[in-house]
Amino acid sequence: MRGTWEGTGYQTDDKSTWEMVLKAGGKRFAIDYPSLSCGGRWQLISLSTGRARFRERLDHGQDKCADNGNVLIQRVNRNQILFVYSNQGEKELTASAILNRKRQATSQP
């Protein structure tokens, strides 16, 4: 999952969309929702083949976005992952997205 992932999230309750950027490296997962002016980090809860569960902890924009939600990431293929989100203490999914791996710029000699 290492790398930068980008996509457009979809909110099921109000049918809104928003941009999201995930930067993953080692055990650090930084999430940013630039169009919503909020973001923070994902705290890993469990990891298995092709999927990971996280708790989202916002460090800015808590007045604009729900905090402490549940995140599930499912690998689709090498360059795409599925993001699904549910609010803390709820089972119903409230948001989803397909995130695409951002290609690294290659330097020309």
Side-chain angles (χ1 to χ4, degrees), residues 3-53:
T4 300
W5 302 82
E6 300 175 323
T8 302
Y10 174 75
Q11 192 79 25
T12 56
D13 53 3
D14 65 3
K15 300 184 178 24
S16 63
T17 59
W18 26 265
E19 297 306 308
M20 59 186 296
V21 179
L22 170 65
K23 292 183 180 173
K27 295 189 182 317
R28 295 183 56 82
F29 303 90
I31 187 67
D32 190 36
Y33 303 100
S35 55
L36 298 176
S37 300
C38 64
R41 61 188 169 84
W42 288 350
Q43 183 177 9
L44 184 63
I45 295 171
S46 67
L47 184 62
S48 60
T49 306
R51 88 188 320 177
R53 292 185 182 278

mmCIF file of all heavy atoms in Angstrom, residues 3-53:
data_model
loop_
_atom_site.group_PDB
_atom_site.id
_atom_site.type_symbol
_atom_site.label_atom_id
_atom_site.label_comp_id
_atom_site.label_asym_id
_atom_site.label_seq_id
_atom_site.Cartn_x
_atom_site.Cartn_y
_atom_site.Cartn_z
ATOM 1 N N GLY A 3 2.937 4.430 -0.875
ATOM 2 C CA GLY A 3 2.820 5.374 -1.979
ATOM 3 C C GLY A 3 1.727 6.400 -1.727
ATOM 4 O O GLY A 3 1.175 6.497 -0.628
ATOM 5 N N THR A 4 1.423 7.162 -2.761
ATOM 6 C CA THR A 4 0.381 8.177 -2.694
ATOM 7 C C THR A 4 -0.799 7.717 -3.531
ATOM 8 O O THR A 4 -0.633 7.286 -4.675
ATOM 9 C CB THR A 4 0.907 9.537 -3.215
ATOM 10 O OG1 THR A 4 2.008 9.934 -2.407
ATOM 11 C CG2 THR A 4 -0.172 10.605 -3.149
ATOM 12 N N TRP A 5 -1.985 7.800 -2.938
ATOM 13 C CA TRP A 5 -3.220 7.352 -3.582
ATOM 14 C C TRP A 5 -4.193 8.527 -3.617
ATOM 15 O O TRP A 5 -4.316 9.253 -2.640
ATOM 16 C CB TRP A 5 -3.839 6.200 -2.781
ATOM 17 C CG TRP A 5 -2.924 5.030 -2.630
ATOM 18 C CD1 TRP A 5 -1.922 4.889 -1.714
ATOM 19 C CD2 TRP A 5 -2.915 3.842 -3.409
ATOM 20 N NE1 TRP A 5 -1.286 3.685 -1.874
ATOM 21 C CE2 TRP A 5 -1.877 3.013 -2.914
ATOM 22 C CE3 TRP A 5 -3.682 3.384 -4.479
ATOM 23 C CZ2 TRP A 5 -1.604 1.772 -3.451
ATOM 24 C CZ3 TRP A 5 -3.402 2.135 -5.011
ATOM 25 C CH2 TRP A 5 -2.368 1.334 -4.507
ATOM 26 N N GLU A 6 -4.892 8.694 -4.747
ATOM 27 C CA GLU A 6 -5.814 9.809 -4.902
ATOM 28 C C GLU A 6 -7.132 9.325 -5.490
ATOM 29 O O GLU A 6 -7.166 8.348 -6.235
ATOM 30 C CB GLU A 6 -5.229 10.870 -5.844
ATOM 31 C CG GLU A 6 -3.927 11.461 -5.360
ATOM 32 C CD GLU A 6 -3.308 12.414 -6.366
ATOM 33 O OE1 GLU A 6 -3.394 12.155 -7.589
ATOM 34 O OE2 GLU A 6 -2.744 13.423 -5.911
ATOM 35 N N GLY A 7 -8.206 10.037 -5.157
ATOM 36 C CA GLY A 7 -9.498 9.694 -5.720
ATOM 37 C C GLY A 7 -10.575 10.652 -5.253
ATOM 38 O O GLY A 7 -10.308 11.633 -4.563
ATOM 39 N N THR A 8 -11.805 10.333 -5.653
ATOM 40 C CA THR A 8 -12.964 11.135 -5.281
ATOM 41 C C THR A 8 -13.886 10.289 -4.419
ATOM 42 O O THR A 8 -14.327 9.220 -4.849
ATOM 43 C CB THR A 8 -13.724 11.615 -6.543
ATOM 44 O OG1 THR A 8 -12.819 12.373 -7.345
ATOM 45 C CG2 THR A 8 -14.924 12.462 -6.170
ATOM 46 N N GLY A 9 -14.129 10.775 -3.206
ATOM 47 C CA GLY A 9 -15.015 10.074 -2.292
ATOM 48 C C GLY A 9 -16.468 10.413 -2.578
ATOM 49 O O GLY A 9 -16.778 11.485 -3.110
ATOM 50 N N TYR A 10 -17.354 9.484 -2.234
ATOM 51 C CA TYR A 10 -18.796 9.665 -2.407
ATOM 52 C C TYR A 10 -19.478 9.450 -1.068
ATOM 53 O O TYR A 10 -19.293 8.411 -0.426
ATOM 54 C CB TYR A 10 -19.334 8.670 -3.439
ATOM 55 C CG TYR A 10 -20.836 8.701 -3.568
ATOM 56 C CD1 TYR A 10 -21.469 9.753 -4.230
ATOM 57 C CD2 TYR A 10 -21.622 7.692 -3.025
ATOM 58 C CE1 TYR A 10 -22.849 9.790 -4.335
ATOM 59 C CE2 TYR A 10 -22.999 7.720 -3.133
ATOM 60 C CZ TYR A 10 -23.603 8.774 -3.786
ATOM 61 O OH TYR A 10 -24.968 8.810 -3.890
ATOM 62 N N GLN A 11 -20.250 10.436 -0.642
ATOM 63 C CA GLN A 11 -20.976 10.399 0.637
ATOM 64 C C GLN A 11 -22.400 9.903 0.364
ATOM 65 O O GLN A 11 -23.126 10.541 -0.400
ATOM 66 C CB GLN A 11 -21.011 11.819 1.226
ATOM 67 C CG GLN A 11 -21.476 11.883 2.651
ATOM 68 C CD GLN A 11 -20.371 11.495 3.622
ATOM 69 O OE1 GLN A 11 -19.199 11.618 3.329
ATOM 70 N NE2 GLN A 11 -20.769 11.020 4.769
ATOM 71 N N THR A 12 -22.802 8.783 0.974
ATOM 72 C CA THR A 12 -24.093 8.186 0.638
ATOM 73 C C THR A 12 -25.291 8.974 1.163
ATOM 74 O O THR A 12 -26.324 9.013 0.514
ATOM 75 C CB THR A 12 -24.186 6.737 1.164
ATOM 76 O OG1 THR A 12 -23.941 6.746 2.578
ATOM 77 C CG2 THR A 12 -23.179 5.840 0.483
ATOM 78 N N ASP A 13 -25.158 9.607 2.348
ATOM 79 C CA ASP A 13 -26.341 10.263 2.916
ATOM 80 C C ASP A 13 -26.751 11.533 2.173
ATOM 81 O O ASP A 13 -27.920 11.747 1.913
ATOM 82 C CB ASP A 13 -26.172 10.535 4.422
ATOM 83 C CG ASP A 13 -24.895 11.297 4.749
ATOM 84 O OD1 ASP A 13 -24.142 11.686 3.821
ATOM 85 O OD2 ASP A 13 -24.649 11.496 5.952
ATOM 86 N N ASP A 14 -25.787 12.385 1.789
ATOM 87 C CA ASP A 14 -26.163 13.615 1.078
ATOM 88 C C ASP A 14 -25.724 13.613 -0.391
ATOM 89 O O ASP A 14 -25.862 14.610 -1.085
ATOM 90 C CB ASP A 14 -25.625 14.854 1.808
ATOM 91 C CG ASP A 14 -24.107 14.926 1.817
ATOM 92 O OD1 ASP A 14 -23.445 14.047 1.200
ATOM 93 O OD2 ASP A 14 -23.579 15.856 2.442
ATOM 94 N N LYS A 15 -25.196 12.477 -0.851
ATOM 95 C CA LYS A 15 -24.796 12.286 -2.241
ATOM 96 C C LYS A 15 -23.752 13.308 -2.721
ATOM 97 O O LYS A 15 -23.695 13.642 -3.892
ATOM 98 C CB LYS A 15 -26.026 12.282 -3.162
ATOM 99 C CG LYS A 15 -26.993 11.164 -2.803
ATOM 100 C CD LYS A 15 -28.144 11.065 -3.742
ATOM 101 C CE LYS A 15 -29.100 9.945 -3.448
ATOM 102 N NZ LYS A 15 -29.165 9.430 -2.106
ATOM 103 N N SER A 16 -22.918 13.766 -1.793
ATOM 104 C CA SER A 16 -21.860 14.713 -2.147
ATOM 105 C C SER A 16 -20.582 13.955 -2.517
ATOM 106 O O SER A 16 -20.431 12.770 -2.207
ATOM 107 C CB SER A 16 -21.588 15.666 -0.985
ATOM 108 O OG SER A 16 -21.121 14.952 0.144
ATOM 109 N N THR A 17 -19.682 14.654 -3.185
ATOM 110 C CA THR A 17 -18.374 14.082 -3.506
ATOM 111 C C THR A 17 -17.287 15.019 -3.003
ATOM 112 O O THR A 17 -17.525 16.215 -2.811
ATOM 113 C CB THR A 17 -18.196 13.872 -5.028
ATOM 114 O OG1 THR A 17 -18.327 15.123 -5.695
ATOM 115 C CG2 THR A 17 -19.208 12.874 -5.571
ATOM 116 N N TRP A 18 -16.099 14.462 -2.776
ATOM 117 C CA TRP A 18 -14.980 15.225 -2.252
ATOM 118 C C TRP A 18 -13.684 14.529 -2.624
ATOM 119 O O TRP A 18 -13.648 13.327 -2.839
ATOM 120 C CB TRP A 18 -15.077 15.394 -0.729
ATOM 121 C CG TRP A 18 -15.850 14.318 -0.048
ATOM 122 C CD1 TRP A 18 -17.172 14.347 0.284
ATOM 123 C CD2 TRP A 18 -15.400 13.011 0.326
ATOM 124 N NE1 TRP A 18 -17.550 13.153 0.854
ATOM 125 C CE2 TRP A 18 -16.483 12.321 0.910
ATOM 126 C CE3 TRP A 18 -14.165 12.376 0.259
ATOM 127 C CZ2 TRP A 18 -16.377 11.019 1.382
ATOM 128 C CZ3 TRP A 18 -14.061 11.071 0.742
ATOM 129 C CH2 TRP A 18 -15.164 10.413 1.297
ATOM 130 N N GLU A 19 -12.629 15.317 -2.723
ATOM 131 C CA GLU A 19 -11.320 14.790 -3.082
ATOM 132 C C GLU A 19 -10.645 14.196 -1.843
ATOM 133 O O GLU A 19 -10.855 14.667 -0.734
ATOM 134 C CB GLU A 19 -10.431 15.895 -3.653
ATOM 135 C CG GLU A 19 -10.971 16.492 -4.944
ATOM 136 C CD GLU A 19 -11.245 15.450 -6.010
ATOM 137 O OE1 GLU A 19 -10.338 14.642 -6.308
ATOM 138 O OE2 GLU A 19 -12.370 15.424 -6.533
ATOM 139 N N MET A 20 -9.829 13.171 -2.062
ATOM 140 C CA MET A 20 -9.058 12.595 -0.968
ATOM 141 C C MET A 20 -7.682 12.150 -1.459
ATOM 142 O O MET A 20 -7.537 11.723 -2.602
ATOM 143 C CB MET A 20 -9.807 11.456 -0.278
ATOM 144 C CG MET A 20 -10.199 10.293 -1.125
ATOM 145 S SD MET A 20 -11.244 9.077 -0.259
ATOM 146 C CE MET A 20 -10.180 8.473 1.020
ATOM 147 N N VAL A 21 -6.683 12.297 -0.570
ATOM 148 C CA VAL A 21 -5.307 11.914 -0.871
ATOM 149 C C VAL A 21 -4.780 11.124 0.330
ATOM 150 O O VAL A 21 -4.796 11.615 1.454
ATOM 151 C CB VAL A 21 -4.403 13.148 -1.107
ATOM 152 C CG1 VAL A 21 -2.970 12.709 -1.390
ATOM 153 C CG2 VAL A 21 -4.945 14.010 -2.242
ATOM 154 N N LEU A 22 -4.320 9.907 0.078
ATOM 155 C CA LEU A 22 -3.738 9.050 1.102
ATOM 156 C C LEU A 22 -2.248 8.899 0.813
ATOM 157 O O LEU A 22 -1.875 8.549 -0.304
ATOM 158 C CB LEU A 22 -4.410 7.670 1.091
ATOM 159 C CG LEU A 22 -3.752 6.591 1.950
ATOM 160 C CD1 LEU A 22 -3.832 6.945 3.430
ATOM 161 C CD2 LEU A 22 -4.399 5.241 1.686
ATOM 162 N N LYS A 23 -1.426 9.182 1.821
ATOM 163 C CA LYS A 23 0.024 8.971 1.700
ATOM 164 C C LYS A 23 0.407 7.884 2.693
ATOM 165 O O LYS A 23 0.271 8.072 3.901
ATOM 166 C CB LYS A 23 0.786 10.266 1.977
ATOM 167 C CG LYS A 23 0.533 11.293 0.888
ATOM 168 C CD LYS A 23 1.322 12.550 1.086
ATOM 169 C CE LYS A 23 1.010 13.507 -0.053
ATOM 170 N NZ LYS A 23 1.602 14.812 0.121
ATOM 171 N N ALA A 24 0.837 6.741 2.153
ATOM 172 C CA ALA A 24 1.163 5.583 2.981
ATOM 173 C C ALA A 24 2.639 5.258 2.866
ATOM 174 O O ALA A 24 3.179 5.188 1.762
ATOM 175 C CB ALA A 24 0.331 4.377 2.532
ATOM 176 N N GLY A 25 3.266 5.073 4.021
ATOM 177 C CA GLY A 25 4.674 4.693 4.049
ATOM 178 C C GLY A 25 4.984 4.005 5.353
ATOM 179 O O GLY A 25 4.750 4.558 6.421
ATOM 180 N N GLY A 26 5.501 2.792 5.281
ATOM 181 C CA GLY A 26 5.787 2.048 6.504
ATOM 182 C C GLY A 26 4.517 1.827 7.303
ATOM 183 O O GLY A 26 3.540 1.300 6.791
ATOM 184 N N LYS A 27 4.492 2.294 8.556
ATOM 185 C CA LYS A 27 3.304 2.151 9.400
ATOM 186 C C LYS A 27 2.558 3.468 9.546
ATOM 187 O O LYS A 27 1.723 3.630 10.414
ATOM 188 C CB LYS A 27 3.701 1.620 10.777
ATOM 189 C CG LYS A 27 4.274 0.214 10.730
ATOM 190 C CD LYS A 27 4.428 -0.323 12.121
ATOM 191 C CE LYS A 27 5.037 -1.690 12.215
ATOM 192 N NZ LYS A 27 4.625 -2.690 11.312
ATOM 193 N N ARG A 28 2.873 4.437 8.677
ATOM 194 C CA ARG A 28 2.237 5.758 8.736
ATOM 195 C C ARG A 28 1.270 5.925 7.570
ATOM 196 O O ARG A 28 1.616 5.632 6.420
ATOM 197 C CB ARG A 28 3.287 6.864 8.712
ATOM 198 C CG ARG A 28 4.189 6.848 9.944
ATOM 199 C CD ARG A 28 5.174 7.991 9.940
ATOM 200 N NE ARG A 28 4.543 9.290 9.840
ATOM 201 C CZ ARG A 28 4.012 9.967 10.875
ATOM 202 N NH1 ARG A 28 4.062 9.455 12.082
ATOM 203 N NH2 ARG A 28 3.471 11.143 10.694
ATOM 204 N N PHE A 29 0.072 6.389 7.898
ATOM 205 C CA PHE A 29 -0.967 6.585 6.895
ATOM 206 C C PHE A 29 -1.576 7.963 7.113
ATOM 207 O O PHE A 29 -2.335 8.164 8.067
ATOM 208 C CB PHE A 29 -2.038 5.501 7.022
ATOM 209 C CG PHE A 29 -1.491 4.109 6.896
ATOM 210 C CD1 PHE A 29 -1.052 3.418 8.019
ATOM 211 C CD2 PHE A 29 -1.386 3.495 5.658
ATOM 212 C CE1 PHE A 29 -0.530 2.140 7.913
ATOM 213 C CE2 PHE A 29 -0.860 2.217 5.544
ATOM 214 C CZ PHE A 29 -0.437 1.538 6.671
ATOM 215 N N ALA A 30 -1.214 8.917 6.253
ATOM 216 C CA ALA A 30 -1.727 10.285 6.374
ATOM 217 C C ALA A 30 -2.854 10.483 5.366
ATOM 218 O O ALA A 30 -2.693 10.180 4.173
ATOM 219 C CB ALA A 30 -0.612 11.290 6.120
ATOM 220 N N ILE A 31 -3.994 10.982 5.829
ATOM 221 C CA ILE A 31 -5.153 11.195 4.963
ATOM 222 C C ILE A 31 -5.484 12.675 4.920
ATOM 223 O O ILE A 31 -5.423 13.364 5.932
ATOM 224 C CB ILE A 31 -6.377 10.356 5.438
ATOM 225 C CG1 ILE A 31 -7.527 10.452 4.444
ATOM 226 C CG2 ILE A 31 -6.834 10.762 6.836
ATOM 227 C CD1 ILE A 31 -7.253 9.815 3.095
ATOM 228 N N ASP A 32 -5.806 13.143 3.719
ATOM 229 C CA ASP A 32 -6.181 14.540 3.548
ATOM 230 C C ASP A 32 -7.413 14.601 2.653
ATOM 231 O O ASP A 32 -7.501 13.862 1.671
ATOM 232 C CB ASP A 32 -5.022 15.334 2.930
ATOM 233 C CG ASP A 32 -5.276 16.826 2.953
ATOM 234 O OD1 ASP A 32 -5.887 17.323 3.925
ATOM 235 O OD2 ASP A 32 -4.868 17.507 1.998
ATOM 236 N N TYR A 33 -8.354 15.449 3.047
ATOM 237 C CA TYR A 33 -9.550 15.714 2.259
ATOM 238 C C TYR A 33 -9.490 17.194 1.872
ATOM 239 O O TYR A 33 -10.106 18.032 2.540
ATOM 240 C CB TYR A 33 -10.811 15.407 3.070
ATOM 241 C CG TYR A 33 -10.861 13.982 3.584
ATOM 242 C CD1 TYR A 33 -10.515 13.688 4.897
ATOM 243 C CD2 TYR A 33 -11.256 12.935 2.760
ATOM 244 C CE1 TYR A 33 -10.562 12.379 5.375
ATOM 245 C CE2 TYR A 33 -11.305 11.630 3.225
ATOM 246 C CZ TYR A 33 -10.954 11.363 4.537
ATOM 247 O OH TYR A 33 -10.998 10.081 5.006
ATOM 248 N N PRO A 34 -8.700 17.554 0.823
ATOM 249 C CA PRO A 34 -8.442 18.964 0.520
ATOM 250 C C PRO A 34 -9.708 19.783 0.275
ATOM 251 O O PRO A 34 -9.797 20.928 0.727
ATOM 252 C CB PRO A 34 -7.573 18.923 -0.738
ATOM 253 C CG PRO A 34 -7.248 17.515 -1.008
ATOM 254 C CD PRO A 34 -8.046 16.651 -0.088
ATOM 255 N N SER A 35 -10.696 19.219 -0.412
ATOM 256 C CA SER A 35 -11.906 19.988 -0.720
ATOM 257 C C SER A 35 -12.802 20.175 0.501
ATOM 258 O O SER A 35 -13.692 21.019 0.492
ATOM 259 C CB SER A 35 -12.678 19.335 -1.874
ATOM 260 O OG SER A 35 -12.972 17.985 -1.577
ATOM 261 N N LEU A 36 -12.562 19.400 1.568
ATOM 262 C CA LEU A 36 -13.346 19.533 2.811
ATOM 263 C C LEU A 36 -12.568 20.261 3.909
ATOM 264 O O LEU A 36 -13.111 20.523 4.980
ATOM 265 C CB LEU A 36 -13.750 18.143 3.329
ATOM 266 C CG LEU A 36 -14.645 17.312 2.420
ATOM 267 C CD1 LEU A 36 -14.872 15.932 3.020
ATOM 268 C CD2 LEU A 36 -15.973 18.010 2.173
ATOM 269 N N SER A 37 -11.298 20.546 3.652
ATOM 270 C CA SER A 37 -10.418 21.214 4.629
ATOM 271 C C SER A 37 -10.305 20.435 5.937
ATOM 272 O O SER A 37 -10.393 20.988 7.026
ATOM 273 C CB SER A 37 -10.908 22.641 4.909
ATOM 274 O OG SER A 37 -10.902 23.398 3.724
ATOM 275 N N CYS A 38 -10.124 19.117 5.812
ATOM 276 C CA CYS A 38 -9.887 18.299 6.999
ATOM 277 C C CYS A 38 -8.942 17.166 6.637
ATOM 278 O O CYS A 38 -8.715 16.882 5.472
ATOM 279 C CB CYS A 38 -11.193 17.765 7.597
ATOM 280 S SG CYS A 38 -12.099 16.645 6.526
ATOM 281 N N GLY A 39 -8.383 16.545 7.665
ATOM 282 C CA GLY A 39 -7.473 15.435 7.440
ATOM 283 C C GLY A 39 -6.820 15.005 8.736
ATOM 284 O O GLY A 39 -7.078 15.560 9.797
ATOM 285 N N GLY A 40 -5.977 14.007 8.637
ATOM 286 C CA GLY A 40 -5.302 13.480 9.819
ATOM 287 C C GLY A 40 -4.538 12.228 9.471
ATOM 288 O O GLY A 40 -3.802 12.189 8.499
ATOM 289 N N ARG A 41 -4.787 11.179 10.278
ATOM 290 C CA ARG A 41 -4.058 9.936 10.058
ATOM 291 C C ARG A 41 -4.986 8.751 10.271
ATOM 292 O O ARG A 41 -6.025 8.870 10.919
ATOM 293 C CB ARG A 41 -2.854 9.852 10.995
ATOM 294 C CG ARG A 41 -3.219 9.873 12.455
ATOM 295 C CD ARG A 41 -2.020 9.972 13.369
ATOM 296 N NE ARG A 41 -2.436 10.240 14.730
ATOM 297 C CZ ARG A 41 -2.820 9.336 15.606
ATOM 298 N NH1 ARG A 41 -2.862 8.059 15.266
ATOM 299 N NH2 ARG A 41 -3.177 9.665 16.821
ATOM 300 N N TRP A 42 -4.581 7.641 9.721
ATOM 301 C CA TRP A 42 -5.289 6.382 9.939
ATOM 302 C C TRP A 42 -4.444 5.530 10.861
ATOM 303 O O TRP A 42 -3.258 5.322 10.646
ATOM 304 C CB TRP A 42 -5.520 5.647 8.628
ATOM 305 C CG TRP A 42 -6.544 6.271 7.743
ATOM 306 C CD1 TRP A 42 -7.405 7.298 8.064
ATOM 307 C CD2 TRP A 42 -6.837 5.926 6.398
ATOM 308 N NE1 TRP A 42 -8.189 7.589 6.994
ATOM 309 C CE2 TRP A 42 -7.877 6.764 5.959
ATOM 310 C CE3 TRP A 42 -6.324 4.979 5.525
ATOM 311 C CZ2 TRP A 42 -8.406 6.689 4.673
ATOM 312 C CZ3 TRP A 42 -6.841 4.898 4.246
ATOM 313 C CH2 TRP A 42 -7.875 5.737 3.827
ATOM 314 N N GLN A 43 -5.072 5.004 11.906
ATOM 315 C CA GLN A 43 -4.418 4.129 12.875
ATOM 316 C C GLN A 43 -4.783 2.689 12.516
ATOM 317 O O GLN A 43 -5.952 2.318 12.517
ATOM 318 C CB GLN A 43 -4.924 4.499 14.265
ATOM 319 C CG GLN A 43 -4.297 3.739 15.384
ATOM 320 C CD GLN A 43 -4.827 4.229 16.729
ATOM 321 O OE1 GLN A 43 -5.772 5.011 16.811
ATOM 322 N NE2 GLN A 43 -4.222 3.756 17.782
ATOM 323 N N LEU A 44 -3.778 1.875 12.203
ATOM 324 C CA LEU A 44 -4.009 0.501 11.770
ATOM 325 C C LEU A 44 -4.601 -0.334 12.908
ATOM 326 O O LEU A 44 -4.088 -0.341 14.015
ATOM 327 C CB LEU A 44 -2.692 -0.126 11.298
ATOM 328 C CG LEU A 44 -2.785 -1.533 10.722
ATOM 329 C CD1 LEU A 44 -3.638 -1.558 9.462
ATOM 330 C CD2 LEU A 44 -1.385 -2.064 10.428
ATOM 331 N N ILE A 45 -5.700 -1.033 12.604
ATOM 332 C CA ILE A 45 -6.348 -1.921 13.568
ATOM 333 C C ILE A 45 -6.031 -3.379 13.220
ATOM 334 O O ILE A 45 -5.646 -4.160 14.073
ATOM 335 C CB ILE A 45 -7.872 -1.700 13.602
ATOM 336 C CG1 ILE A 45 -8.180 -0.290 14.123
ATOM 337 C CG2 ILE A 45 -8.577 -2.761 14.437
ATOM 338 C CD1 ILE A 45 -9.636 0.104 13.987
ATOM 339 N N SER A 46 -6.202 -3.746 11.956
ATOM 340 C CA SER A 46 -5.896 -5.119 11.537
ATOM 341 C C SER A 46 -5.486 -5.133 10.074
ATOM 342 O O SER A 46 -5.878 -4.275 9.293
ATOM 343 C CB SER A 46 -7.105 -6.037 11.761
ATOM 344 O OG SER A 46 -8.164 -5.689 10.895
ATOM 345 N N LEU A 47 -4.695 -6.156 9.742
ATOM 346 C CA LEU A 47 -4.160 -6.284 8.394
ATOM 347 C C LEU A 47 -4.232 -7.744 7.993
ATOM 348 O O LEU A 47 -3.821 -8.618 8.756
ATOM 349 C CB LEU A 47 -2.704 -5.795 8.389
ATOM 350 C CG LEU A 47 -1.948 -5.752 7.083
ATOM 351 C CD1 LEU A 47 -2.608 -4.783 6.116
ATOM 352 C CD2 LEU A 47 -0.509 -5.338 7.337
ATOM 353 N N SER A 48 -4.783 -8.018 6.819
ATOM 354 C CA SER A 48 -4.785 -9.373 6.285
ATOM 355 C C SER A 48 -4.520 -9.266 4.785
ATOM 356 O O SER A 48 -4.385 -8.165 4.255
ATOM 357 C CB SER A 48 -6.124 -10.074 6.563
ATOM 358 O OG SER A 48 -7.185 -9.360 5.968
ATOM 359 N N THR A 49 -4.456 -10.373 4.110
ATOM 360 C CA THR A 49 -4.133 -10.371 2.688
ATOM 361 C C THR A 49 -5.148 -9.545 1.908
ATOM 362 O O THR A 49 -6.329 -9.852 1.898
ATOM 363 C CB THR A 49 -4.107 -11.814 2.138
ATOM 364 O OG1 THR A 49 -3.214 -12.575 2.936
ATOM 365 C CG2 THR A 49 -3.654 -11.837 0.692
ATOM 366 N N GLY A 50 -4.663 -8.482 1.308
ATOM 367 C CA GLY A 50 -5.517 -7.672 0.443
ATOM 368 C C GLY A 50 -6.451 -6.703 1.127
ATOM 369 O O GLY A 50 -7.198 -5.991 0.461
ATOM 370 N N ARG A 51 -6.447 -6.649 2.476
ATOM 371 C CA ARG A 51 -7.351 -5.707 3.146
ATOM 372 C C ARG A 51 -6.774 -5.245 4.470
ATOM 373 O O ARG A 51 -6.008 -5.948 5.108
ATOM 374 C CB ARG A 51 -8.747 -6.300 3.292
ATOM 375 C CG ARG A 51 -9.003 -7.103 4.513
ATOM 376 C CD ARG A 51 -10.320 -7.831 4.544
ATOM 377 N NE ARG A 51 -11.429 -7.096 4.010
ATOM 378 C CZ ARG A 51 -12.663 -7.558 3.894
ATOM 379 N NH1 ARG A 51 -12.931 -8.778 4.280
ATOM 380 N NH2 ARG A 51 -13.629 -6.835 3.420
ATOM 381 N N ALA A 52 -7.174 -4.029 4.851
ATOM 382 C CA ALA A 52 -6.710 -3.447 6.111
ATOM 383 C C ALA A 52 -7.832 -2.632 6.728
ATOM 384 O O ALA A 52 -8.640 -2.017 6.010
ATOM 385 C CB ALA A 52 -5.490 -2.560 5.865
ATOM 386 N N ARG A 53 -7.893 -2.649 8.069
ATOM 387 C CA ARG A 53 -8.885 -1.855 8.810
ATOM 388 C C ARG A 53 -8.157 -0.793 9.615
ATOM 389 O O ARG A 53 -7.120 -1.067 10.212
ATOM 390 C CB ARG A 53 -9.693 -2.734 9.753
ATOM 391 C CG ARG A 53 -10.601 -3.700 9.056
ATOM 392 C CD ARG A 53 -11.482 -4.461 10.066
ATOM 393 N NE ARG A 53 -12.312 -5.403 9.376
ATOM 394 C CZ ARG A 53 -13.464 -5.109 8.781
ATOM 395 N NH1 ARG A 53 -13.908 -3.871 8.807
ATOM 396 N NH2 ARG A 53 -14.162 -6.026 8.164
#
